[in-house]
């Protein structure tokens, strides 16, 4: 089994790509900074499971618990190859897969046994579901007082919306994100991917680490209550403060910003699209000199981002007109010489071919028993001494049930067979 370890501050091999280290099954779960942590992933679609993936990428042993007869929906989400769900290969990486019916007495007992050996449980059932099964915070804490229970739901564990079904799309709408996104005269726009779920996953992973740090002081675990509607509020910036103090409601502005200009996407003479941002005055000055309109830089309104934003039509005409007369490579080279900020608008084909992503190994190769070699996103960041790694892609449904139940709980083959006959595993 191979693992791609992301290490910072080390010289790359001759082809400028990070080296690929080899590990063996006996070395699992890994040697990253979270080695020694055990995480039970009970969650589905998508924030909770992605949070567990992020922890597993840096060495935590993640045990994915799925229903014996209803696999995680991500296995069937999106395109598949030869009947194998591709999204699961990413979301399930670095996870051992176990099947348990948590609503059954046998499945409940096994889960409590696993929880007694674990550091973290991540779940995203509707509030009250774990309690109904006899697996609520009180029962889990009785089995393991040091356990961190991360509860990821659309609206949190209490309040008038708590028992509603919640998905990232609703968070994107309720948080104010959709109201800001789109053209000024168009409808609110939702992202075509799981933005709120991904932001919530990052937040959940951070919350889990904060709770584990707290355990070092208190010796006890705690409950993390993560409502997906809340992290999106943070990434939207100062809008609540603006409204509180000024009654200001930010409108939809398309690609433009109310706080700086030029800031837009522009089409080149050969049909490519480029994104340009000039958030600082110095970059804006260099950009306007590049496109042959230095007189703008002497205008009083040019001194502030808000002033430039009020003259976005004029600035867009200057920048967009110049870019439209030149090819993509010529524009990028000119911007680089001028130290002005530009980037290509990439679809996924462009991402896979981009030289900067290649240099960073942002899309890396992972071996897989079912599909051969798969390319997917690498772990999120590079650590110089204790790097994260992708040790394997998502494994088949229940592939590790017997090994985990016998290895961690000491259950005999006969006991596991009896649980399976009862439908508990």
């Amino acid at each position: 089994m191979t693992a791609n370890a992301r290490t910072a501050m080390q010289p790359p091999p001759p082809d400028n790509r990070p080296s690929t280290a080899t590990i063996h099954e006996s070395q699992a779960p890994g040697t990253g900074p979270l080695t020694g942590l055990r995480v039970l992933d009970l969650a589905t679609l998508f924030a909770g499971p992605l949070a567990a993936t992020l922890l597993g990428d840096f060495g935590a042993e993640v045990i994915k618990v799925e229903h014996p007869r209803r696999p995680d929906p991500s296995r069937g989400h999106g395109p598949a190859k030869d009947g194998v769900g591709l999204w699961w290969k990413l979301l399930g990486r670095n996870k051992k897969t176990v099947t348990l019916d948590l609503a059954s007495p046998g499945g409940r007992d096994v889960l409590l046994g696993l929880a007694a050996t674990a550091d973290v449980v991540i779940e995203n059932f509707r509030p009250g579901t774990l309690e109904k099964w006899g697996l609520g915070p009180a029962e889990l804490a009785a089995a393991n007082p040091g356990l961190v229970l991360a509860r990821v739901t659309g609206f949190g564990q209490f309040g008038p919306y708590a028992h509603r079904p919640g998905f990232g799309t609703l968070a994107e709408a309720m948080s104010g994100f959709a109201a800001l996104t789109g053209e000024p005269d168009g409808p609110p726009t939702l992202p075509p991917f799981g933005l709120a779920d991904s932001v919530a996953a990052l937040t959940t992973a951070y919350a889990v680490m904060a709770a584990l740090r707290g355990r070092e002081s208190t010796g006890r675990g705690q409950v993390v209550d993560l409502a997906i509607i809340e992290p999106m509020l943070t990434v939207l910036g100062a809008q609540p403060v603006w409204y509180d103090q000024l009654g200001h409601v930010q409108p939809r502005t398309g690609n433009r910003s109310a706080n700086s200009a030029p800031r837009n996407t522009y089409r080149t003479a050969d049909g490519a699209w480029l994104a340009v941002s000039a958030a600082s005055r110095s970059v804006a000055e260099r950009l306007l000199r590049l496109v042959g309109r230095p007189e703008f830089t002497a205008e009083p309104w040019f001194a502030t981002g808000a002033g430039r934003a009020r003259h976005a039509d004029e600035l867009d005409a200057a920048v967009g007109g110049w870019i439209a007369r030149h090819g993509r490579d010529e524009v990028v080279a000119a911007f680089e010489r001028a130290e002005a900020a530009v980037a290509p608008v990439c679809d996924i084909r462009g991402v896979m071919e981009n030289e900067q992503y290649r240099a960073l190994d942002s899309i890396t190769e992972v071996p897989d028993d079912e599909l051969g070699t798969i390319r997917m996103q690498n772990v999120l960041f590079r650590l110089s001494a204790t790097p994260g790694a992708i040790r394997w892609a998502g494994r088949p449904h229940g592939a590790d049930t017997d090994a985990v139940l016998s290895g961690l709980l000491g259950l005999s083959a006969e006991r596991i067979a009896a649980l399976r006959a009862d439908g508990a595993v």
Side-chain angles (χ1 to χ4, degrees):
M1 182 179 296
T2 62
N4 290 336
R6 297 199 87 178
T7 309
M9 301 171 60
Q10 293 184 357
D15 66 353
N16 290 323
R17 299 189 66 179
S19 60
T20 299
T22 300
I23 65 170
H24 302 286
E25 195 69 53
S26 62
Q27 292 176 284
T31 56
L34 302 186
T35 296
L37 288 179
R38 180 171 293 144
V39 178
L40 304 183
D41 173 10
L42 315 185
T44 60
L45 292 181
F46 279 99
L50 181 55
T53 302
L54 298 174
L55 298 173
D57 283 349
F58 287 90
E61 179 186 12
V62 180
I63 299 173
K64 173 70 178 179
V65 177
E66 301 175 76
H67 193 279
R69 293 164 294 282
R70 295 189 297 275
D72 188 297
S74 67
R75 291 183 181 272
H77 209 83
K81 180 181 179 182
D82 299 332
V84 177
L86 299 178
W87 203 321
W88 168 252
K89 287 299 178 182
L90 173 68
L91 193 63
R93 73 188 192 190
N94 293 334
K95 299 180 182 181
K96 299 176 180 178
T97 61
V98 168
T99 58
L100 288 177
D101 181 353
L102 301 181
S104 70
R108 173 188 179 274
D109 291 344
V110 171
L111 194 281
L112 287 174
L114 291 175
T117 75
D119 299 282
V120 180
V121 170
I122 300 176
E123 65 99 1
N124 69 340
F125 301 104
R126 286 200 215 180
T129 301
L130 280 188
E131 287 84 350
K132 177 180 67 176
W133 294 336
L135 292 170
E139 291 86 355
L140 291 171
N144 182 353
L147 189 70
V148 170
L149 172 61
R151 315 194 77 173
V152 185
T153 57
F155 305 107
Q157 295 294 311
F158 57 91
Y161 291 10
H163 290 277
R164 295 182 181 181
F167 296 98
T169 296
L170 308 187
E172 290 148 8
M174 279 186 59
S175 65
F177 172 83
L180 288 175
T181 308
E183 294 301 321
D185 57 351
T189 303
L190 295 166
F193 62 96
L195 176 62
D197 279 314
S198 298
V199 174
L202 291 164
T203 309
T204 301
Y206 168 67
V208 165
M209 297 311 300
L212 290 171
R213 178 65 181 89
R215 187 178 69 175
E216 294 180 11
S217 302
T218 67
R220 300 189 66 83
Q222 59 186 298
V223 176
V224 173
D225 177 7
L226 193 291
I228 296 175
I229 60 172
E230 291 185 306
M232 288 297 291
L233 288 174
T234 296
V235 302
L236 288 178
Q239 290 184 60
V241 181
W242 292 340
Y243 181 78
D244 175 64
Q245 296 295 305
L246 301 172
H248 175 69
V249 178
Q250 184 173 329
R252 284 192 292 281
T253 56
N255 288 331
R256 288 179 173 176
S257 168
N259 304 303
S260 67
R263 194 255 197 188
N264 214 326
T265 58
Y266 307 94
R267 196 168 192 176
T268 65
D270 50 3
W273 286 94
L274 298 173
V276 173
S277 178
S280 71
R281 179 178 179 176
S282 60
V283 172
E285 289 175 344
R286 293 196 292 270
L287 174 56
L288 269 297
R289 287 196 294 269
L290 169 64
V291 302
R293 299 301 300 272
E295 68 275 12
F296 281 130
T297 66
E299 295 287 346
W301 50 260
F302 196 87
T304 66
R308 294 193 300 277
R310 288 193 293 270
H311 291 264
D313 286 343
E314 300 160 73
L315 296 174
D316 271 348
V319 174
W322 184 88
I323 289 176
R325 297 191 298 272
H326 300 81
R328 173 189 180 276
D329 292 345
E330 184 183 0
V331 172
V332 171
F335 268 66
E336 187 168 353
R337 290 192 299 270
E339 297 183 4
V342 68
V345 176
C346 294
D347 60 15
I348 193 58
R349 291 169 294 187
V351 169
M352 302 292 266
E353 297 167 359
N354 183 271
E355 59 186 359
Q356 182 61 27
Y357 281 132
R358 285 182 180 272
L360 296 174
D361 198 33
S362 302
I363 304 294
T364 196
E365 294 183 349
V366 180
D368 181 70
D369 291 340
E370 293 181 288
L371 297 177
T373 298
I374 306 173
R375 288 192 292 169
M376 64 174 64
Q377 298 96 317
N378 211 331
V379 301
L380 271 176
F381 46 84
R382 288 159 291 280
L383 296 179
S384 62
T386 55
I390 303 172
R391 300 179 298 280
W392 59 82
R395 288 169 57 71
H397 181 231
D400 304 293
T401 301
D402 288 21
V404 169
L405 269 55
S406 61
L408 292 186
L409 302 184
L411 299 186
S412 66
E414 292 76 17
R415 175 59 179 153
I416 295 172
L419 288 168
R420 187 167 281 118
D422 289 340
V425 303

